[in-house]
Amino acid sequence: MACFGKRKSVIAMSLLVAVSLFVAMVNYAEKPYFLLQPVLGQAFSSRWVSSRLQPKAFKPHVGYVSVPKQEPLKLDCDACSIVSSSGQMLGREAGPEIDQSSCVWRMNNAPTGGFERDVGRKTTLRVVSHTSVPLLLQKQQYFFGQANNTIYVIWGPLRNMRKDGKGIVYNMLQQVVENYPQAKVFVTTEERMNYCDKVFKLETGKDRIQSGSYLSTGWFTLILAMDVCREIHVYGMINETYCRTDGYRKVPYHYYEAGSRDECAEYLLHETAPYGGHRFITEKSVFAKWAKTHAIKFSHPAWTVS
C-alpha cells in the first residue's frame, strides 16, 4: 500500500508540473521567460531567449562579398518590390505602392528623381551590371552620397572583377569606397557567377557561353531575390508572349530614356542576336516557371501564371 501511495504521489506531482508548465507557456506573452527556467533549466532558457526575444539574425549570402573587406552580404526582406527599368512603368502611378514594401530593389542606373509617382522614391538594394558601373560614376554623389543607404550588388565576369589590380571594374569600385567610406558595395563572386550560368543551362537546356549570350541584370536580380525575400512583387516586366500580342503597349526600352528603341524591338533584337545578346524572352519564360514555386507576383503588366 505504501508503494502504491508513493506512486500516486509521483503521478500527482508529474501532473502538477505538466499543468504548471502549460499555464506558464500559455501566459508567456505576459510573463518573463525566466519563470520557466526552474522547470526546464538554463539550457532551455538560453534557447528560448535566442528564438523568441532576440531579433532574427540576417542570413549571410556568401556569393556576394563587400568591397574591399570581402564580408558576405547580410540581408533579409519580408516583401520585396523589384522595379523594372522598362518604359512599362510610365504612367502606372505605382510609386506609393512600391514604397510600402519593406525592401525596394532597382537595377543598374535607373533613377527615381523625376519619376517618383510611377517608380517610387525608396531604394534598398540596386543590382548593377559591370557595364553600368561607369554610368553610376558619372553621378557619384547621387548614387553613393552621404544620404544614400542603398546596398549595391555588382555582377560581372572575372576579367573585370578580379581583385589583383587587373580588374578594371573592381578597381573602380575600390575607388568609390575610398571616396565614400559609408557606401555599401558588394560584388558577385566567381562561384556565384558560375552558379547563375548553371541555373540557366538547367532551366533552358542551353549553355550560355556556347549560345553566345549574356545573362541580364534581371536574371541576377531574381536569383538573389529568391534567396533574400519571402515575397517578391515585380513591377514593369513583360512576359515571354507580350511582344506577340496584338495591340501591345509600345514603350521605350528604359523609362528614363524617352525616344529610345521600342522595348519589344530591343527584346527581339537581343533574342535573335548570334552573339552578345541577352535572351530576355527566354529568361521571362523561366521567371514564369519560378513563379509557380515561389511567392512571385508580376504587375504592370500582370502575368497569368498557370
Side-chain angles (χ1 to χ4, degrees):
M1 292 294 294
C3 180
F4 181 75
K6 283 186 177 181
R7 190 175 301 168
K8 288 180 63 178
S9 299
V10 170
I11 294 173
M13 182 62 68
S14 297
L15 287 173
L16 179 62
V17 171
V19 170
S20 300
L21 177 59
F22 176 78
V23 172
M25 286 183 169
V26 168
N27 292 285
Y28 173 75
E30 289 76 38
K31 297 180 181 180
Y33 80 94
F34 56 77
L35 291 179
L36 300 179
Q37 187 174 339
V39 179
L40 298 181
Q42 182 64 39
F44 171 83
S45 66
S46 298
R47 290 195 298 270
W48 188 271
V49 173
S50 177
S51 62
R52 294 300 298 271
L53 294 183
Q54 294 181 357
K56 181 181 178 181
F58 287 160
K59 173 185 174 183
H61 304 280
V62 296
Y64 311 88
V65 295
S66 63
V67 178
K69 295 183 179 180
Q70 304 298 293
E71 296 174 345
L73 172 67
K74 294 182 180 180
L75 182 64
D76 186 26
C77 299
D78 287 325
C80 293
S81 286
I82 297 179
V83 185
S84 165
S85 303
S86 166
Q88 296 289 341
M89 295 304 301
L90 295 172
R92 301 291 191 175
E93 298 186 0
E97 179 182 315
I98 289 169
D99 285 340
Q100 288 177 7
S101 294
S102 55
C103 297
V104 178
W105 295 30
R106 304 185 190 277
M107 290 176 262
N108 294 322
N109 62 317
T112 56
F115 302 95
E116 293 90 345
R117 178 178 293 183
D118 290 328
V119 305
R121 302 173 180 273
K122 179 178 175 181
T123 306
T124 309
L125 184 143
R126 189 179 286 269
V127 181
V128 181
S129 163
H130 60 113
T131 59
S132 291
V133 170
L135 299 178
L136 301 186
L137 299 184
Q138 291 176 10
K139 299 181 179 180
Q140 292 188 40
Q141 185 59 39
Y142 174 80
F143 287 110
F144 304 109
Q146 292 292 333
N148 193 335
N149 200 38
T150 300
I151 298 169
Y152 290 85
V153 175
I154 318 299
W155 68 269
L158 179 62
R159 66 179 182 274
N160 289 337
M161 309 302 288
R162 54 193 298 173
K163 306 173 184 67
D164 59 0
K166 298 179 180 179
I168 184 171
V169 174
Y170 190 83
N171 292 345
M172 293 178 185
L173 298 175
Q174 280 189 309
Q175 189 62 53
V176 165
V177 174
E178 289 181 13
N179 294 340
Y180 302 93
Q182 85 294 339
K184 301 175 182 178
V185 179
F186 292 78
V187 294
T188 307
T189 65
E190 183 182 6
E191 292 77 14
R192 191 62 171 177
M193 292 292 297
N194 292 336
Y195 168 79
C196 291
D197 277 346
K198 290 178 181 178
V199 173
F200 182 80
K201 186 172 184 178
L202 177 67
E203 296 288 5
T204 67
K206 300 176 182 178
D207 183 277
R208 180 195 64 77
I209 297 175
Q210 292 179 1
S211 67
S213 62
Y214 293 99
L215 298 175
S216 73
T217 298
W219 182 268
F220 291 99
T221 300
L222 260 293
I223 286 182
L224 175 56
M226 287 190 293
D227 278 349
V228 172
C229 312
R230 292 176 181 82
E231 297 179 2
I232 301 170
H233 194 161
V234 183
Y235 291 83
M237 185 179 287
I238 61 175
N239 65 20
E240 61 176 310
T241 63
Y242 182 88
C243 295
R244 300 197 303 267
T245 305
D246 291 337
Y248 70 82
R249 183 185 186 216
K250 292 189 176 183
V251 298
Y253 179 53
H254 290 147
Y255 67 77
Y256 50 92
E257 293 177 342
S260 61
R261 187 194 302 270
D262 170 69
E263 178 179 49
C264 281
E266 189 76 16
Y267 271 39
L268 293 171
L269 177 66
H270 276 268
E271 191 72 17
T272 57
Y275 179 80
H278 295 301
R279 304 303 187 228
F280 291 121
I281 297 174
T282 298
E283 289 184 3
K284 300 306 183 290
S285 67
V286 176
F287 296 167
K289 179 181 177 181
W290 290 346
K292 296 177 182 179
T293 56
H294 295 76
I296 305 176
K297 176 183 178 181
F298 297 88
S299 296
H300 308 307
W303 291 26
T304 300
V305 179
S306 57

